[in-house]
Amino acid sequence: NAGVTQTPKFQVLKTGQSMTLQCAQDMNHNSMYWYRQDPGMGLRLIYYSASEGTTDKGEVPNGYNVSRLNKREFSLRLESAAPSQTSVYFCASTSGQGPDTQYFGPGTRLTVL
Amino acid sequence: GQSLEQPSEVTAVEGAIVQINCTYQTSGFYGLSWYQQHDGGAPTFLSYNALDGLEETGRFSSFLSRSDSYGYLLLQELQMKDSASYFCAVRDRKGDDKIIFGKGTRLHILP
């Protein structure tokens, strides 16, 4: 099992450009999450999806859109990137049942110039 | 809304015991989790408490008091490899999959 995978690992964008961060999990988990991590700010929830076909806003959803393509995949889109979106982005998944064990992907390090 | 408070930094000596506290405010409560993150890495799951009391997993233990909205992570026999950031996380309501993290505690270990 690969667990949670994310692509790309690194990305540099110019202000105004768009891009999609990809996330996939092979653990048959119901719930998937996107977090961003900035120094001293911990992990802040952007969007989450409790099941295929559903998505909900987290703490910091502005400037982002998501798609739960199927049970395995959950993508995060930046339509018009801004320097304030420079961050490390983590995707995570959990079964949604029993103890809250979240499994994280390796992260995408995004810089917006 | 939800909020979690934990100290930003803690320093301890190799071989000693350290406790990292977490207080939370939520509209409901389902469980408190702890994660470890080394520099440049992804968070990894350590422990979970849904009921009051102590959960032990090797050198790590986690405690929860729901009446006090408080929990802590206890690390024993500290090793240099335990130098990392530690996060508490809470699911707000049972059936709601929204999981929120604290800002993290940076643990420094002195030889």
Side-chain angles (χ1 to χ4, degrees):
Chain A
N1 285 351
V4 180
T5 57
Q6 291 182 237
T7 56
K9 286 186 169 54
F10 300 93
Q11 184 71 48
V12 178
L13 293 178
K14 294 180 180 179
T15 297
Q17 287 185 319
S18 62
M19 78 162 296
T20 299
L21 282 65
Q22 305 287 353
C23 174
Q25 53 90 10
D26 62 2
M27 295 173 282
N28 201 36
H29 282 169
N30 293 316
S31 304
M32 298 185 73
Y33 305 78
W34 277 105
Y35 293 92
R36 61 177 288 174
Q37 185 172 37
D38 305 293
M41 296 298 292
L43 292 151
R44 292 184 291 172
L45 181 63
I46 305 172
Y47 272 94
Y48 65 106
S49 170
S51 62
E52 183 180 350
T54 68
T55 60
D56 287 283
K57 294 179 180 179
E59 300 170 282
V60 289
N62 291 345
Y64 304 95
N65 287 300
V66 291
S67 295
R68 183 75 182 266
L69 305 171
N70 47 55
K71 192 170 186 178
R72 291 186 63 249
E73 298 173 289
F74 189 38
S75 63
L76 179 72
R77 182 159 179 85
L78 288 70
E79 290 291 352
S80 179
S84 61
Q85 294 179 304
T86 293
S87 189
V88 180
Y89 291 86
F90 287 101
C91 177
S93 72
T94 180
S95 66
Q97 300 171 0
D100 284 333
T101 305
Q102 279 187 309
Y103 296 85
F104 284 80
T108 295
R109 283 148 183 80
L110 175 67
T111 300
V112 183
L113 302 175
Chain B
Q2 302 158 290
S3 67
L4 296 99
E5 296 291 330
Q6 51 182 129
S8 58
E9 291 185 278
V10 172
T11 300
V13 178
E14 189 176 15
I17 299 172
V18 71
Q19 179 175 309
I20 299 173
N21 299 319
C22 174
T23 57
Y24 58 87
Q25 286 187 319
T26 59
S27 56
F29 180 79
Y30 185 56
L32 186 71
S33 303
W34 289 93
Y35 290 79
Q36 178 191 59
Q37 185 182 30
H38 287 100
D39 286 346
T44 56
F45 174 80
L46 288 176
S47 188
Y48 173 77
N49 296 74
L51 302 176
D52 290 352
L54 193 68
E55 293 284 340
E56 297 182 70
T57 308
R59 294 187 298 114
F60 294 178
S61 302
S62 58
F63 172 82
L64 176 66
S65 170
R66 288 177 297 172
S67 61
D68 295 322
S69 297
Y70 164 76
Y72 66 73
L73 180 68
L74 191 72
L75 294 80
Q76 303 181 72
E77 301 172 13
L78 284 171
Q79 302 175 10
M80 296 305 292
K81 67 178 181 179
D82 297 329
S83 294
S85 293
Y86 293 84
F87 297 88
C88 55
V90 65
R91 179 187 292 207
D92 193 14
R93 295 180 299 277
K94 187 173 182 179
D96 182 338
D97 280 31
K98 184 176 183 180
I99 299 175
I100 302 296
F101 282 73
K103 293 185 177 180
T105 299
R106 179 77 183 196
L107 174 60
H108 303 278
I109 299 177
L110 304 175

